[in-house]
Amino acid sequence: MPQSDKSTTFLDAFYARAYGLTRDELRYILDPADVKGPDYPSETFRVLKENEIRLYGEYRTRRLVLEAWDQMEANGEWRWGCERCPPLMPI
């Protein structure tokens, strides 16, 4: 994965946390049907989701953003995921 993609997914997860979202709320924003079920009538990123499923066989952005969330949650530090970055303030 290009570094820019990794940075973007970490930033998405970081800012979701900074705005006070829970992981499930972030899941809902990325794909409401993932939380509410396949019959839920609302969509947020339909074109992105369809394009990624066509290109990668999965909704890659959702997976990568949630993986970034989980990684930052597991290590106890909400950092960008790089060795040179200074620690960010805990939320």
Side-chain angles (χ1 to χ4, degrees):
M1 167 175 42
Q3 184 63 34
S4 61
D5 288 351
K6 184 176 182 180
S7 296
T8 300
T9 60
F10 274 86
L11 284 172
D12 289 343
F14 176 82
Y15 281 111
R17 173 78 178 247
Y19 277 99
L21 298 178
T22 66
R23 188 180 190 281
D24 282 340
E25 290 168 334
L26 177 57
R27 279 179 53 221
Y28 176 82
I29 290 169
L30 292 168
D31 187 7
D34 186 41
V35 176
K36 299 289 188 177
D39 294 332
Y40 194 70
S42 179
E43 294 179 292
T44 50
F45 301 105
R46 179 180 54 84
V47 174
L48 174 65
K49 180 180 175 180
E50 289 174 355
N51 287 341
E52 288 188 352
I53 289 171
R54 183 174 41 79
L55 289 171
Y56 307 114
E58 66 170 332
Y59 183 13
R60 184 172 168 255
T61 295
R62 179 187 60 182
R63 178 180 57 82
L64 294 175
V65 170
L66 293 175
E67 284 177 359
W69 176 285
D70 293 341
Q71 181 180 343
M72 289 187 282
E73 186 74 32
N75 71 18
E77 298 177 10
W78 283 85
R79 298 177 57 157
W80 290 37
C82 69
E83 296 300 319
R84 297 183 315 274
C85 298
L88 298 172
M89 296 294 294
I91 297 176

